[in-house]
Amino acid sequence: MKGEEKTFFLVNQLITLSLGIATIIPHSQSSPATLIAAADQGLYQAKAQGRNCMVQVNSEG
């Protein structure tokens, strides 16, 4: 169509992945928020280490 600008982006063909993995042994006082917070903590640690990193956090729940 006339008058439309076309924008092209160069896309890197590599995908990197950082993971925060949390484990917990549940008990009566365990909450999903505790597990999610531990996974979030692991994700931020993995990102700080660089690309393609995985950090496992064992939560006391």
Side-chain angles (χ1 to χ4, degrees):
M1 300 177 122
K2 287 186 178 182
E4 283 189 24
E5 279 189 41
K6 295 192 188 268
T7 304
F8 295 95
F9 296 95
L10 296 176
V11 177
N12 192 344
Q13 294 185 6
L14 299 177
I15 295 174
T16 63
L17 186 64
S18 296
L19 297 173
I21 299 172
T23 58
I24 190 172
I25 298 174
H27 55 77
S28 62
Q29 301 299 317
S30 297
S31 89
T34 302
L35 184 61
I36 292 168
D40 192 50
Q41 175 188 359
L43 175 60
Y44 282 101
Q45 289 176 12
K47 284 182 174 184
Q49 291 179 17
R51 295 181 175 168
N52 292 324
C53 291
M54 175 186 75
V55 172
Q56 180 178 356
V57 176
N58 297 316
S59 178
E60 294 297 317

